Amino acid sequence: MSFVSQYSIRVSYNYILVDSIRIAYREAGVGNKPVLLLLHGFPSSSHMFRNVIPNLARNFHVIAPDLPGFGFSEIPSPYSFKYCFENYSELLNNFLNELKISRASFYLFDYGAPILMRIIVKRPEMVEMLIFQNGNIYAEGVGDVLKDISKLFYDDSFESFFKLKRYFEFDYTKWEYVNGVQDVKNIAVESYTLDQFLMDREGVKNIQMELKSDYKSNVELYPLWQQHLKSLKPVTLIVWGENDEIFKKQGALLLKEDIEDSRLLFYPTGHFALEEFGDSISEEIVEFWNANFNKTVQ
C-alpha cells in the first residue's frame, strides 16, 4: 500500500472549550470517515503524530488532542483542575461529547492507555477498533524506569527528590525518544526538544510529578481492564517497540493472549515507535481495519 504525499492532506489546528478548559487538537480527514482518536502520552503531545496523521487521514477522520499540561492546551491551575488520570479521562470523554463522537477507534499509547481504558470500560459501545502502541495495562509490562520512579516517591528524602527531578529534565526526555532505536539519526531533534520546552513552562513540572505519583491508580485498575477486554473482545491491533524499557514487550504479549483474534507486531525500536516506523504502522492500521470490517475506507 502506498500513501499519498502528506503535503496533499490538510491538517487543521483547532481549539475547543471543554469544561471551561481550552483544548488544542489536530484534525484531518473528512467527517464521513470512521473516527480515529490518537492520544499522546508523557512527555509528548499530538506533535508525536505529526508524520502519521496525513497518512491516516486518507482513510479516517483523525483527531489528536493535547491533554491539559501537555502540548498547546490550556494549563488550568491545580486549584481548579486536579491533575490525575481519572480527571483526564472525564475531560476526554466530555471532549468526545462536544465533538459529537459516539463511536471511534482509539490509539492507546503510554498515558493514553489508562486514560482511554477508563472510557472504554464505561462506554464499551463506543469502541470500533483499538490500536495499542506501547500502552500497557499489565504489571508484567511495567519497566524498571517506572518502578524506580515509584520507589523515589515513597522514599521521602532530599536525595530521592533530587533523583526524581531528573526524570523531568532534558536528558531523560531525550532518552525516552532515543533509547532502543535502530539509529539515533532517525529521531527528529525537535520531538524531544519541543517536549522539554513545553515542560519547562511555569508549573508544568509540578503537574507532571503529580501525574507520575498518580500512576499507581492505573496499576490498581489493571486487572479490571484486562477482564473487560477479555469479555469485550474488541478488534485490536498491537504494534510495539520491542526495545522499550518503559513498557516492556511482556505487556504486548499478554494483550495478544487475552484478546482473541488480535494482531501483534513488534518493531525493532523503542518507546516512540512512530518516529522510526510511522509509515509501516500507518499501513498496518488501515490494512487491519479493512481486513476486519470488510470494506475499504476511501
Side-chain angles (χ1 to χ4, degrees), residues 179-240:
N179 183 64
V181 301
Q182 284 191 319
D183 189 340
V184 173
K185 294 192 293 292
N186 293 334
I187 309 304
V189 175
E190 66 268 22
S191 57
Y192 49 83
T193 304
L194 176 62
D195 284 357
Q196 190 61 47
F197 173 80
L198 294 172
M199 187 153 48
D200 285 339
R201 291 174 294 178
E202 184 177 357
V204 172
K205 287 179 183 174
N206 290 335
I207 288 169
Q208 298 299 344
M209 290 185 74
E210 285 292 321
L211 285 171
K212 278 283 189 284
S213 177
D214 187 51
Y215 195 84
K216 60 183 180 295
S217 70
N218 300 325
V219 177
E220 292 167 358
L221 289 171
Y222 278 178
L224 171 66
W225 298 339
Q226 296 160 18
Q227 190 56 49
H228 186 79
L229 291 181
K230 285 181 185 178
S231 301
L232 186 62
K233 300 176 182 177
V235 174
T236 302
L237 175 65
I238 308 162
V239 286
W240 209 275

Side-chain angles (χ1 to χ4, degrees), residues 79-94:
Y79 297 106
S80 62
F81 180 82
K82 180 175 173 56
Y83 288 90
C84 65
F85 287 92
E86 182 64 32
N87 279 359
Y88 272 153
S89 180
E90 291 181 10
L91 184 71
L92 185 61
N93 183 61
N94 293 339

